[in-house]
Amino acid sequence: MPLLKPARAVAGEARAMLEDELKAILASLERRDGYWLLKAAPGLIGPSMVNDGCPIASALRIRLGGVVVARPSDVEDLAFGNAVHKAYVEAVKSWNPGWRVESGVRFQATVVHGGVQFTVGFEPDILMANGGEWHLVEVKSSRLRRSHQVQLALYWRLLRDEYNIAGSWLVTWDAVLYMSPRDLEPLARQGLEYLASVKAILDSWVDEPRLVIKATCPCRWAPACPIWRRYLNTMLGG
C-alpha cells in the first residue's frame, strides 16, 4: 500500500509556493463583460466537471475556454489548490521511495453512455505503481464532497481497462479515503450521466440552453450564464 497523508501535511510547502501560483493565475486573467476569465487551452468534457454541480456551467467552461472568476477569493482558492497539488506530488515521491509516480499525464477516451458518444479528456492527479500494481490518487485542497468521490470514480472507470488498479484513493484536506470498486461503480455511472448531459447541452446550444433556473443559482458561473441573465431580466422586468 502507498503511504498517503491528508493534504494538510503539505500546507507549509504549499504556502511557500502560493505567491508564484497567484502571479501565474493573475497573468492569465482576461476581462469579460462583468467577470474575469482564467483562460485555458481548448478542452474536452472531463471528470472534474462534476464539481461544477451544473451541466450548464460545465458547458460554459468549454464554450468560454476557461474558468469564470467572479470574486478575489476565487483566485486565491485556485492558486492555493494548484500549490497543494504540486507540493503533494513531490511529497508522495519522498514518502514512497522506489515507487513509480506519474503526474500530469493527459488521457483521452471515447465513451458511449445512454446512446450518446463523446470524447472525454482527463488528467488524474497521481498514478503510482509498485510491483505491477497501480494506485490512483485524487488530491483535494478542501474537505470531502460527494462530487470528489464521483470524479475519482470516473477516473477509475476510464482507466481500469488499461491499468491494473489495485487501489483508488481520495486525499482531502483532513483525510485519506480508500474507495473499493464496489463503492466506485455506482458513482461512475452517476458521473457518466452528468457528462452525457453536458454533451447534450453542447450539441443543442444555439443561442442558449433550454433549461430552467435551479435553486442552486447563482453559482460562480452566473456572470457568464445566459440562463441566469435571462432570469434576472425577467425578475427586473427587462
Side-chain angles (χ1 to χ4, degrees):
M1 291 294 181
L3 175 57
L4 301 170
K5 302 178 184 181
R8 66 185 178 191
V10 299
E13 293 87 343
R15 291 191 182 99
M17 302 166 65
L18 186 55
E19 184 176 352
D20 288 340
E21 294 300 324
L22 280 168
K23 288 179 179 178
I25 288 177
L26 291 173
S28 300
L29 288 178
E30 181 179 294
R31 183 66 177 169
R32 294 294 181 91
D33 182 17
Y35 63 94
W36 292 85
L37 185 72
L38 178 58
K39 293 291 290 181
L44 299 169
I45 294 172
S48 65
M49 289 180 173
V50 298
N51 296 298
D52 295 332
C54 171
I56 298 176
S58 297
L60 276 169
R61 188 193 296 193
I62 293 178
R63 286 178 64 89
L64 295 173
V67 176
V68 168
V69 177
R71 301 174 296 273
S73 60
D74 292 340
V75 175
E76 296 168 2
D77 290 345
L78 288 167
F80 187 66
N82 290 346
V84 167
H85 280 73
K86 291 180 179 179
Y88 199 87
V89 170
E90 295 307 311
V92 164
K93 294 176 182 178
S94 66
W95 296 336
N96 298 272
W99 285 64
R100 177 179 176 183
V101 178
E102 295 185 355
S103 180
V105 181
R106 187 76 179 168
F107 297 89
Q108 284 191 19
T110 300
V111 174
V112 179
H113 184 77
V116 179
Q117 179 174 306
F118 53 97
T119 301
V120 178
F122 58 105
E123 186 178 308
D125 284 337
I126 300 172
L127 280 165
M128 51 191 306
N130 188 28
E133 291 184 337
W134 288 87
H135 290 259
L136 176 62
V137 184
E138 179 64 15
V139 182
K140 296 298 179 184
S141 56
S142 60
R143 288 180 169 80
L144 177 66
R145 299 206 310 259
R146 180 178 174 81
S147 63
H148 299 158
Q149 296 172 286
V150 175
Q151 183 181 354
L152 177 64
L154 282 168
Y155 289 148
W156 168 80
R157 169 65 177 79
L158 294 165
L159 291 171
R160 66 182 182 182
D161 293 337
E162 300 296 329
Y163 289 82
N164 177 22
I165 299 178
S168 300
W169 307 84
L170 180 59
V171 174
T172 66
W173 184 249
D174 52 8
V176 177
L177 176 66
Y178 168 78
M179 298 190 67
S180 70
R182 184 176 179 179
D183 299 325
L184 294 165
E185 188 67 57
L187 291 172
R189 288 196 298 269
Q190 178 184 334
L192 289 173
E193 287 286 344
Y194 182 90
L195 298 186
S197 69
V198 175
K199 169 64 172 174
I201 288 171
L202 287 168
D203 286 347
S204 63
W205 193 331
V206 179
D207 296 317
E208 61 182 53
R210 294 185 178 89
L211 294 178
V212 298
I213 205 74
K214 295 186 176 182
T216 54
C217 300
C219 70
R220 64 184 291 176
W221 295 83
C225 179
I227 294 297
W228 179 247
R229 287 184 174 182
R230 183 176 65 183
Y231 172 76
L232 288 182
N233 288 338
T234 300
M235 292 297 292
L236 295 174

PDB file of all heavy atoms in Angstrom, residues 57-82:
ATOM      1  N   ALA A  57     -23.010  25.102 -16.419  1.00  0.00           N
ATOM      2  CA  ALA A  57     -21.713  25.656 -16.033  1.00  0.00           C
ATOM      3  C   ALA A  57     -20.579  24.887 -16.702  1.00  0.00           C
ATOM      4  O   ALA A  57     -19.603  25.482 -17.173  1.00  0.00           O
ATOM      5  CB  ALA A  57     -21.557  25.617 -14.514  1.00  0.00           C
ATOM      6  N   SER A  58     -20.704  23.576 -16.762  1.00  0.00           N
ATOM      7  CA  SER A  58     -19.665  22.762 -17.400  1.00  0.00           C
ATOM      8  C   SER A  58     -19.590  23.037 -18.896  1.00  0.00           C
ATOM      9  O   SER A  58     -18.504  23.106 -19.471  1.00  0.00           O
ATOM     10  CB  SER A  58     -19.941  21.281 -17.146  1.00  0.00           C
ATOM     11  OG  SER A  58     -19.891  20.977 -15.761  1.00  0.00           O
ATOM     12  N   ALA A  59     -20.751  23.193 -19.530  1.00  0.00           N
ATOM     13  CA  ALA A  59     -20.766  23.525 -20.958  1.00  0.00           C
ATOM     14  C   ALA A  59     -20.140  24.904 -21.195  1.00  0.00           C
ATOM     15  O   ALA A  59     -19.414  25.115 -22.168  1.00  0.00           O
ATOM     16  CB  ALA A  59     -22.194  23.483 -21.491  1.00  0.00           C
ATOM     17  N   LEU A  60     -20.410  25.840 -20.278  1.00  0.00           N
ATOM     18  CA  LEU A  60     -19.813  27.166 -20.395  1.00  0.00           C
ATOM     19  C   LEU A  60     -18.295  27.098 -20.308  1.00  0.00           C
ATOM     20  O   LEU A  60     -17.588  27.849 -20.980  1.00  0.00           O
ATOM     21  CB  LEU A  60     -20.339  28.077 -19.280  1.00  0.00           C
ATOM     22  CG  LEU A  60     -21.677  28.759 -19.535  1.00  0.00           C
ATOM     23  CD1 LEU A  60     -22.193  29.398 -18.251  1.00  0.00           C
ATOM     24  CD2 LEU A  60     -21.559  29.797 -20.634  1.00  0.00           C
ATOM     25  N   ARG A  61     -17.788  26.207 -19.472  1.00  0.00           N
ATOM     26  CA  ARG A  61     -16.335  26.081 -19.339  1.00  0.00           C
ATOM     27  C   ARG A  61     -15.701  25.765 -20.691  1.00  0.00           C
ATOM     28  O   ARG A  61     -14.641  26.296 -21.033  1.00  0.00           O
ATOM     29  CB  ARG A  61     -15.993  24.969 -18.340  1.00  0.00           C
ATOM     30  CG  ARG A  61     -14.517  24.922 -18.010  1.00  0.00           C
ATOM     31  CD  ARG A  61     -14.116  23.662 -17.289  1.00  0.00           C
ATOM     32  NE  ARG A  61     -14.716  23.501 -15.980  1.00  0.00           N
ATOM     33  CZ  ARG A  61     -14.292  22.596 -15.104  1.00  0.00           C
ATOM     34  NH1 ARG A  61     -13.281  21.793 -15.409  1.00  0.00           N
ATOM     35  NH2 ARG A  61     -14.878  22.480 -13.929  1.00  0.00           N
ATOM     36  N   ILE A  62     -16.366  24.918 -21.485  1.00  0.00           N
ATOM     37  CA  ILE A  62     -15.845  24.561 -22.802  1.00  0.00           C
ATOM     38  C   ILE A  62     -16.074  25.693 -23.804  1.00  0.00           C
ATOM     39  O   ILE A  62     -15.179  26.070 -24.563  1.00  0.00           O
ATOM     40  CB  ILE A  62     -16.492  23.262 -23.297  1.00  0.00           C
ATOM     41  CG1 ILE A  62     -16.039  22.089 -22.411  1.00  0.00           C
ATOM     42  CG2 ILE A  62     -16.146  22.997 -24.760  1.00  0.00           C
ATOM     43  CD1 ILE A  62     -16.661  20.766 -22.768  1.00  0.00           C
ATOM     44  N   ARG A  63     -17.270  26.276 -23.800  1.00  0.00           N
ATOM     45  CA  ARG A  63     -17.584  27.332 -24.770  1.00  0.00           C
ATOM     46  C   ARG A  63     -16.734  28.583 -24.549  1.00  0.00           C
ATOM     47  O   ARG A  63     -16.327  29.245 -25.512  1.00  0.00           O
ATOM     48  CB  ARG A  63     -19.067  27.679 -24.692  1.00  0.00           C
ATOM     49  CG  ARG A  63     -19.983  26.618 -25.303  1.00  0.00           C
ATOM     50  CD  ARG A  63     -21.441  27.004 -25.144  1.00  0.00           C
ATOM     51  NE  ARG A  63     -21.765  28.215 -25.863  1.00  0.00           N
ATOM     52  CZ  ARG A  63     -22.167  28.278 -27.140  1.00  0.00           C
ATOM     53  NH1 ARG A  63     -22.265  27.164 -27.845  1.00  0.00           N
ATOM     54  NH2 ARG A  63     -22.468  29.420 -27.700  1.00  0.00           N
ATOM     55  N   LEU A  64     -16.463  28.907 -23.284  1.00  0.00           N
ATOM     56  CA  LEU A  64     -15.674  30.098 -22.983  1.00  0.00           C
ATOM     57  C   LEU A  64     -14.175  29.847 -23.084  1.00  0.00           C
ATOM     58  O   LEU A  64     -13.394  30.780 -23.256  1.00  0.00           O
ATOM     59  CB  LEU A  64     -16.005  30.607 -21.577  1.00  0.00           C
ATOM     60  CG  LEU A  64     -17.424  31.127 -21.342  1.00  0.00           C
ATOM     61  CD1 LEU A  64     -17.631  31.433 -19.861  1.00  0.00           C
ATOM     62  CD2 LEU A  64     -17.694  32.366 -22.179  1.00  0.00           C
ATOM     63  N   GLY A  65     -13.778  28.584 -22.925  1.00  0.00           N
ATOM     64  CA  GLY A  65     -12.352  28.270 -22.974  1.00  0.00           C
ATOM     65  C   GLY A  65     -11.614  28.656 -21.721  1.00  0.00           C
ATOM     66  O   GLY A  65     -10.446  29.064 -21.766  1.00  0.00           O
ATOM     67  N   GLY A  66     -12.300  28.529 -20.576  1.00  0.00           N
ATOM     68  CA  GLY A  66     -11.654  28.878 -19.323  1.00  0.00           C
ATOM     69  C   GLY A  66     -12.608  28.792 -18.157  1.00  0.00           C
ATOM     70  O   GLY A  66     -13.726  28.287 -18.270  1.00  0.00           O
ATOM     71  N   VAL A  67     -12.157  29.317 -17.019  1.00  0.00           N
ATOM     72  CA  VAL A  67     -12.910  29.273 -15.771  1.00  0.00           C
ATOM     73  C   VAL A  67     -13.303  30.685 -15.371  1.00  0.00           C
ATOM     74  O   VAL A  67     -12.466  31.596 -15.380  1.00  0.00           O
ATOM     75  CB  VAL A  67     -12.067  28.631 -14.647  1.00  0.00           C
ATOM     76  CG1 VAL A  67     -12.811  28.660 -13.320  1.00  0.00           C
ATOM     77  CG2 VAL A  67     -11.691  27.203 -15.023  1.00  0.00           C
ATOM     78  N   VAL A  68     -14.567  30.883 -15.011  1.00  0.00           N
ATOM     79  CA  VAL A  68     -15.045  32.186 -14.585  1.00  0.00           C
ATOM     80  C   VAL A  68     -14.504  32.521 -13.201  1.00  0.00           C
ATOM     81  O   VAL A  68     -14.538  31.695 -12.286  1.00  0.00           O
ATOM     82  CB  VAL A  68     -16.586  32.225 -14.572  1.00  0.00           C
ATOM     83  CG1 VAL A  68     -17.092  33.472 -13.850  1.00  0.00           C
ATOM     84  CG2 VAL A  68     -17.116  32.200 -15.999  1.00  0.00           C
ATOM     85  N   VAL A  69     -13.986  33.735 -13.068  1.00  0.00           N
ATOM     86  CA  VAL A  69     -13.508  34.245 -11.780  1.00  0.00           C
ATOM     87  C   VAL A  69     -14.368  35.455 -11.431  1.00  0.00           C
ATOM     88  O   VAL A  69     -14.245  36.510 -12.058  1.00  0.00           O
ATOM     89  CB  VAL A  69     -12.021  34.632 -11.844  1.00  0.00           C
ATOM     90  CG1 VAL A  69     -11.562  35.231 -10.522  1.00  0.00           C
ATOM     91  CG2 VAL A  69     -11.176  33.416 -12.197  1.00  0.00           C
ATOM     92  N   ALA A  70     -15.240  35.281 -10.457  1.00  0.00           N
ATOM     93  CA  ALA A  70     -16.174  36.348 -10.116  1.00  0.00           C
ATOM     94  C   ALA A  70     -15.736  37.145  -8.896  1.00  0.00           C
ATOM     95  O   ALA A  70     -16.135  38.296  -8.732  1.00  0.00           O
ATOM     96  CB  ALA A  70     -17.569  35.754  -9.861  1.00  0.00           C
ATOM     97  N   ARG A  71     -14.915  36.539  -8.021  1.00  0.00           N
ATOM     98  CA  ARG A  71     -14.512  37.187  -6.771  1.00  0.00           C
ATOM     99  C   ARG A  71     -13.011  36.989  -6.545  1.00  0.00           C
ATOM    100  O   ARG A  71     -12.438  36.013  -7.015  1.00  0.00           O
ATOM    101  CB  ARG A  71     -15.266  36.574  -5.593  1.00  0.00           C
ATOM    102  CG  ARG A  71     -16.782  36.694  -5.691  1.00  0.00           C
ATOM    103  CD  ARG A  71     -17.453  35.940  -4.570  1.00  0.00           C
ATOM    104  NE  ARG A  71     -17.193  34.514  -4.657  1.00  0.00           N
ATOM    105  CZ  ARG A  71     -17.921  33.657  -5.373  1.00  0.00           C
ATOM    106  NH1 ARG A  71     -18.949  34.104  -6.067  1.00  0.00           N
ATOM    107  NH2 ARG A  71     -17.622  32.374  -5.396  1.00  0.00           N
ATOM    108  N   PRO A  72     -12.372  37.907  -5.798  1.00  0.00           N
ATOM    109  CA  PRO A  72     -10.949  37.722  -5.480  1.00  0.00           C
ATOM    110  C   PRO A  72     -10.672  36.397  -4.782  1.00  0.00           C
ATOM    111  O   PRO A  72      -9.613  35.797  -4.993  1.00  0.00           O
ATOM    112  CB  PRO A  72     -10.642  38.908  -4.555  1.00  0.00           C
ATOM    113  CG  PRO A  72     -11.627  39.956  -4.950  1.00  0.00           C
ATOM    114  CD  PRO A  72     -12.881  39.205  -5.310  1.00  0.00           C
ATOM    115  N   SER A  73     -11.629  35.923  -3.981  1.00  0.00           N
ATOM    116  CA  SER A  73     -11.427  34.656  -3.276  1.00  0.00           C
ATOM    117  C   SER A  73     -11.318  33.482  -4.247  1.00  0.00           C
ATOM    118  O   SER A  73     -10.677  32.473  -3.934  1.00  0.00           O
ATOM    119  CB  SER A  73     -12.561  34.406  -2.285  1.00  0.00           C
ATOM    120  OG  SER A  73     -13.816  34.351  -2.948  1.00  0.00           O
ATOM    121  N   ASP A  74     -11.942  33.611  -5.434  1.00  0.00           N
ATOM    122  CA  ASP A  74     -11.822  32.553  -6.437  1.00  0.00           C
ATOM    123  C   ASP A  74     -10.369  32.388  -6.870  1.00  0.00           C
ATOM    124  O   ASP A  74      -9.882  31.271  -7.033  1.00  0.00           O
ATOM    125  CB  ASP A  74     -12.689  32.866  -7.666  1.00  0.00           C
ATOM    126  CG  ASP A  74     -14.174  32.803  -7.374  1.00  0.00           C
ATOM    127  OD1 ASP A  74     -14.557  32.171  -6.370  1.00  0.00           O
ATOM    128  OD2 ASP A  74     -14.949  33.385  -8.149  1.00  0.00           O
ATOM    129  N   VAL A  75      -9.683  33.509  -7.072  1.00  0.00           N
ATOM    130  CA  VAL A  75      -8.274  33.472  -7.478  1.00  0.00           C
ATOM    131  C   VAL A  75      -7.432  32.829  -6.391  1.00  0.00           C
ATOM    132  O   VAL A  75      -6.579  31.974  -6.658  1.00  0.00           O
ATOM    133  CB  VAL A  75      -7.756  34.900  -7.778  1.00  0.00           C
ATOM    134  CG1 VAL A  75      -6.262  34.876  -8.073  1.00  0.00           C
ATOM    135  CG2 VAL A  75      -8.514  35.506  -8.957  1.00  0.00           C
ATOM    136  N   GLU A  76      -7.672  33.228  -5.148  1.00  0.00           N
ATOM    137  CA  GLU A  76      -6.910  32.676  -4.033  1.00  0.00           C
ATOM    138  C   GLU A  76      -7.136  31.172  -3.908  1.00  0.00           C
ATOM    139  O   GLU A  76      -6.192  30.409  -3.666  1.00  0.00           O
ATOM    140  CB  GLU A  76      -7.305  33.391  -2.745  1.00  0.00           C
ATOM    141  CG  GLU A  76      -6.945  34.869  -2.741  1.00  0.00           C
ATOM    142  CD  GLU A  76      -7.594  35.617  -1.593  1.00  0.00           C
ATOM    143  OE1 GLU A  76      -8.287  34.973  -0.778  1.00  0.00           O
ATOM    144  OE2 GLU A  76      -7.416  36.848  -1.514  1.00  0.00           O
ATOM    145  N   ASP A  77      -8.392  30.741  -4.047  1.00  0.00           N
ATOM    146  CA  ASP A  77      -8.709  29.311  -3.933  1.00  0.00           C
ATOM    147  C   ASP A  77      -8.025  28.513  -5.037  1.00  0.00           C
ATOM    148  O   ASP A  77      -7.473  27.426  -4.786  1.00  0.00           O
ATOM    149  CB  ASP A  77     -10.220  29.093  -4.000  1.00  0.00           C
ATOM    150  CG  ASP A  77     -10.938  29.612  -2.757  1.00  0.00           C
ATOM    151  OD1 ASP A  77     -10.259  29.877  -1.745  1.00  0.00           O
ATOM    152  OD2 ASP A  77     -12.173  29.758  -2.809  1.00  0.00           O
ATOM    153  N   LEU A  78      -8.077  29.033  -6.269  1.00  0.00           N
ATOM    154  CA  LEU A  78      -7.445  28.335  -7.386  1.00  0.00           C
ATOM    155  C   LEU A  78      -5.930  28.244  -7.194  1.00  0.00           C
ATOM    156  O   LEU A  78      -5.326  27.195  -7.433  1.00  0.00           O
ATOM    157  CB  LEU A  78      -7.768  29.058  -8.693  1.00  0.00           C
ATOM    158  CG  LEU A  78      -9.211  28.944  -9.204  1.00  0.00           C
ATOM    159  CD1 LEU A  78      -9.458  29.960 -10.318  1.00  0.00           C
ATOM    160  CD2 LEU A  78      -9.504  27.538  -9.699  1.00  0.00           C
ATOM    161  N   ALA A  79      -5.329  29.339  -6.769  1.00  0.00           N
ATOM    162  CA  ALA A  79      -3.874  29.359  -6.576  1.00  0.00           C
ATOM    163  C   ALA A  79      -3.459  28.396  -5.467  1.00  0.00           C
ATOM    164  O   ALA A  79      -2.474  27.654  -5.615  1.00  0.00           O
ATOM    165  CB  ALA A  79      -3.408  30.772  -6.249  1.00  0.00           C
ATOM    166  N   PHE A  80      -4.194  28.398  -4.359  1.00  0.00           N
ATOM    167  CA  PHE A  80      -3.839  27.510  -3.255  1.00  0.00           C
ATOM    168  C   PHE A  80      -4.039  26.049  -3.657  1.00  0.00           C
ATOM    169  O   PHE A  80      -3.223  25.184  -3.330  1.00  0.00           O
ATOM    170  CB  PHE A  80      -4.671  27.833  -2.016  1.00  0.00           C
ATOM    171  CG  PHE A  80      -4.237  27.072  -0.799  1.00  0.00           C
ATOM    172  CD1 PHE A  80      -2.991  27.298  -0.231  1.00  0.00           C
ATOM    173  CD2 PHE A  80      -5.067  26.119  -0.222  1.00  0.00           C
ATOM    174  CE1 PHE A  80      -2.575  26.590   0.896  1.00  0.00           C
ATOM    175  CE2 PHE A  80      -4.662  25.403   0.896  1.00  0.00           C
ATOM    176  CZ  PHE A  80      -3.415  25.642   1.463  1.00  0.00           C
ATOM    177  N   GLY A  81      -5.106  25.772  -4.407  1.00  0.00           N
ATOM    178  CA  GLY A  81      -5.321  24.413  -4.886  1.00  0.00           C
ATOM    179  C   GLY A  81      -4.190  23.927  -5.771  1.00  0.00           C
ATOM    180  O   GLY A  81      -3.722  22.791  -5.631  1.00  0.00           O
ATOM    181  N   ASN A  82      -3.733  24.790  -6.673  1.00  0.00           N
ATOM    182  CA  ASN A  82      -2.602  24.426  -7.536  1.00  0.00           C
ATOM    183  C   ASN A  82      -1.345  24.151  -6.724  1.00  0.00           C
ATOM    184  O   ASN A  82      -0.596  23.207  -6.995  1.00  0.00           O
ATOM    185  CB  ASN A  82      -2.334  25.545  -8.541  1.00  0.00           C
ATOM    186  CG  ASN A  82      -3.422  25.676  -9.593  1.00  0.00           C
ATOM    187  OD1 ASN A  82      -4.259  24.800  -9.748  1.00  0.00           O
ATOM    188  ND2 ASN A  82      -3.421  26.788 -10.306  1.00  0.00           N
TER     189      ASN A  82
END
